[in-house]
Amino acid sequence: METKLFTVREATLPVLPAGMADLRVLHISDLHLTPTQQRKIDWVRSLAELRPDVVVDTGDNMAHRQALAPLLHALEPLLASSAGTFVMGSNDYYAPHAKNPARYLLPDARVPRRNPERDLPAEELARELRSAGWKDLTNRRDVLEVGGRRIELAGVDDPHLDLDVFPTPAPRSPGAFRLGVAHAPYRRVLNAMHDDDSDLILAGHTHGGQLCVPFYGALVTNCDLDRRRVSGVHGWPGERPDRPGGEGSTMMHVSAGAGTSPYAPVRFACRPEATLLTLTAAP
């Protein structure tokens, strides 16, 4: 099954300030882990062998009320070896539930929740990630110092739940690299990060469309992002800034993620993924 064909994609992005040494960033997203998914757990543990300098987790880690312990076991090698940062997605707060998959074809597929009480252990997850030194970007800013490189971070809580409040503007330090992080790449958030002078934006949520039609691509993005940018490296609001027509745009990577809802355990022409981004100095 394609849902188990886990893939590591790689890309090189010229986004760092002049003179800054290359930075290896592992982008993981949308694991949607359940306790019985041992193959996925083993694969996530193996990602530490890539030796990233920084791990960015863009949320939707859990898909079961008992997923926290296996999730932390999966992330353990990365937590022990790499600097990191994270935001939460809706499936860090709420367990998935059955719904008509045809809703995803609507302009807004969200379903009002009958019970607004959060039933997944997001607070415990955040506490464990913070205790390992990873930076919590829930509507806040922070800074990572990695090998003498200053990384200024700005992130938001899940825009798909309308929880995003972009943090107060802050001046950029000389020679710093600025990274924006969100779970769902809604246009309002991308615009805020672009206006914040981000050098790179990382997001997930879309599952790359999850079901893609050959020679056509994804049918939906599950947010207001256009289908052309459903996954991979793009620019915002225009073309990639390293290509003609991209002047004034911000580089962006949208992960297709590594999981699915347990109520829709299928992918087509859209393998589950993590991405190793090698960031280099812009020419």
Side-chain angles (χ1 to χ4, degrees), residues 15 38 44-46 119 131 135 165 172 179 185 276-277:
V15 294
Q38 189 60 48
V44 174
R45 288 181 63 86
S46 75
D119 55 1
S131 70
K135 303 296 186 180
V165 179
R172 180 199 287 261
L179 177 65
L276 183 65
L277 301 170

Side-chain angles (χ1 to χ4, degrees), residues 134-145:
W134 285 18
K135 303 296 186 180
D136 185 345
L137 297 183
T138 305
N139 294 332
R140 62 184 299 272
R141 296 182 184 274
D142 214 317
V143 174
L144 277 174
E145 298 281 352

Side-chain angles (χ1 to χ4, degrees), residues 23 53-54 83 144-151:
L23 190 70
D53 299 305
V54 178
L144 277 174
E145 298 281 352
V146 180
R149 292 160 290 196
R150 181 178 175 87
I151 306 171

Side-chain angles (χ1 to χ4, degrees), residues 15-17 172 176-180 197-201 250-251:
V15 294
L16 296 180
R172 180 199 287 261
F177 168 68
R178 182 161 283 195
L179 177 65
D197 197 27
S198 297
D199 297 300
L200 176 64
I201 300 169
T250 299
M251 196 79 80

Side-chain angles (χ1 to χ4, degrees), residues 222-255:
N222 199 20
C223 62
D224 63 0
L225 186 68
D226 58 283
R227 291 187 304 103
R228 185 174 67 88
R229 295 181 172 96
V230 70
S231 65
V233 179
H234 301 280
W236 184 264
E239 297 299 319
R240 286 176 52 157
D242 59 342
R243 293 182 178 173
E247 297 82 2
S249 289
T250 299
M251 196 79 80
M252 174 178 70
H253 179 259
V254 179
S255 174

